[in-house]
Amino acid sequence: MASRVIPVDPFDLVIFGGTGDLARRKILPGLFRRFQAGQMPDGARIIGAARSELDRAGYQQMIEDAIGEFGGAEKNDAEGLSKFLETLDYTPIDAKGTAGWDTLSSMVRPDVVQAFYFSVAPSLFGDIAARLHSNNIANSKSRIVVEKPFGRDLESAKALNKSLADHFDESQVYRIDHYLGKETVQNLMAVRFGNVLFEPLWNNHYVDHIQITVAETVGVEGRGAYYDRSGAMRDMVQNHLMQLLCLIAMEPPGQFGADEVRDEKLKVIRALQTVEPHHIVRGQYDAGPDGGGYREDAENPKSFTESFIAMKCHINNWRWAGVPFYLRTGKRMKARASEIAVVFKDLGHSIFEGDEKRHRNILAIRLQPNEGMDLQVTIKEPGPGGMRLVDVPLDMTFAEALGDGEHDVSDAYERLIMDVIRGNQTLFMRGDEVEAAWAWTDPLINGWEARNDVPKVYDAGSSGPEDALMLLHRDGRKWREIKG
Ligand code: BG6
């Protein structure tokens, strides 16, 4: 099976914040890999725009260094790299002033796809959107790409949406949640809606509960100032985990179109019940053998911000009534492991004498590492000794299943940027979705702030605080092991 590279139209991609961390780590190395894969058409151009007084050569050098450091793909492709660097240009720009806008205007071509990536602080979104218009750079076909954090509550998200909507139609706005660009996340939809096997069982008649785990080993890694104002709820749950929950729980859309998919996701978010305070466990990591504790990392000795959160959620609709969705995410945990596990109900009655174990089918969809899925099934233990049953996984690791060396699993950013150029919004969050997610999140955060909730301490390198284990234990269930 050869991997298919679908060509895109020539484009001008302007990256505001083009010298920043995200641009150097993710966006430009990702674009270079697309270039190597032959997906960047002749005539495609990338224009960095930022405060630094660099010229074109200086920017090319900066990006060459960044690709050397973060590139990953085909290190020895000097010829490819120098051709890729030729597509780069740069202009210093003052997002809030006048400097640089004339130059940018002369660089951007009106007759190709135009995409403007706002890789800057959200407080600048409105200024940049306004200047793209007042300088006649953007037109009704231009696309803008914005990153999280998209607000820190409903009110600020609404204000951000408005600052963009004043200048751009919703069909032009691409809000990135990089989890939607992950291979397995899209596979979730393929598994659910491309097989006859699972969908009939995908409801409260057959599903006992669902677990969504996103465990990281990293701490706050120099992002303490941002993270301490956010915490795991704003940083991970409101966006990434919410998106996973939507994809696993949504009704089948009529077709795989941007609005059809997003309409269904929105219905899930709106059907989410407010989580009871005793169904939320917040945690903060303590110092471990590999480093300091959260408060040191965040440089806030009195911080009550959570670096871990677990919760039990319910979706109030016909399909999911009564089925708990357990969510957890945390930093400095024992392994980097993210998965969604659909735990089916017990068999109810066993015909096999002496078989007292609770057998249940579990479909585990692994996001990372080792993308793939396994389905736990019950079989007879081989050999003599009667009908002894064992649970074994039917394992499918995507890289092995499709492993012919030609199926590259491209990075989430590469895929999403190419979708922007193609004009496909399916894997981007719509404004009303983001607002609905904040409308659900706000009361939970307000609640624990009003209660002066103190997060539970957990050991770095562990599975999180004891109380998180109890959250399931009380319901007669248990978390799946976090395995890297
Ligand atoms: C980001 C969060 O959105 O996602 C980070 O801000 C987090 O705190 C990261 O580490 C996790 O992404 P991934 O792709 O490594 O799972």
Side-chain angles (χ1 to χ4, degrees), residues 148 178-179 182 216 223 235-236 240 331 336 368:
K148 70 175 268 264
H178 79 280
Y179 266 55
K182 287 183 190 275
E216 300 185 273
R223 296 161 74 224
D235 186 52
M236 297 293 288
H240 306 326
K331 296 209 178 282
R336 178 171 188 256
Q368 56 201 21

